[in-house]
Amino acid sequence: MNASASHQAPEPVSGGARPPGATVIAAILLLEALGLLSAAGWYLYGLLNSTPTSLGGAIFTMVFLVVLAVWLLLVGLKLSAGYRWTRSAALVFQLFMVVIAVPTLSAGIVGIGFALLLPAAVVVLLLFTKPVLAHTSRTADSAPVL
């Protein structure tokens, strides 16, 4: 294997078919990225219409929201292509969503709490199904690995 082969997308396992679970995960990650971008837009609107207590903190939060959304979009695209590192990235983000959803539900904001919790639960469950694991457990030379 040469050095350039390690940067190519993994070969599909079964005739180019992506498992439905990987497609659902990628779609949920895309929707979460769009949600983060809309939250960043709402945050920017609030910043333009009021004076923040800390301008540096406000700018950091704005940049963080945008970078996180772009990263999540990249994770979704690469997961659908079969890259193995995307499982851990998607899992960590979904665990953070659960950490945010549980106190939201406890505070009585049920709609937003379930909107955060249910997609995270679906992604976590689908990440550990056999077809998704098989799709994302390959290296660039498409040899199965544990």
Side-chain angles (χ1 to χ4, degrees):
M1 178 171 79
N2 59 20
S4 65
S6 65
H7 297 292
Q8 296 174 356
E11 296 292 325
V13 172
S14 58
R18 179 182 309 124
T23 304
V24 170
I25 293 170
I28 290 173
L29 292 177
L30 172 68
L31 290 174
E32 288 174 339
L34 292 175
L36 282 171
L37 286 175
S38 65
W42 181 39
Y43 190 77
L44 179 64
Y45 175 77
L47 285 176
L48 295 175
N49 291 324
S50 64
T51 304
T53 305
S54 167
L55 184 60
I59 291 172
F60 172 80
T61 303
M62 181 70 201
V63 170
F64 182 71
L65 285 171
V66 172
V67 168
L68 187 59
V70 170
W71 171 250
L72 199 58
L73 180 62
L74 177 69
V75 169
L77 292 174
K78 295 298 182 178
L79 187 133
S80 67
Y83 284 86
R84 66 184 304 158
W85 60 267
T86 57
R87 286 194 320 252
S88 58
L91 179 64
V92 167
F93 184 79
Q94 300 313 314
L95 292 177
F96 281 129
M97 295 301 288
V98 170
V99 166
I100 294 170
V102 170
T104 304
L105 286 169
S106 297
I109 309 170
V110 178
I112 294 174
F114 279 125
L116 296 172
L117 185 63
L118 294 178
V122 169
V123 169
V124 170
L125 290 174
L126 288 176
L127 278 173
F128 294 103
T129 60
K130 287 186 184 226
V132 173
L133 284 172
H135 180 67
T136 58
S137 292
R138 294 168 286 118
T139 58
D141 61 358
S142 75
V145 286
L146 297 176

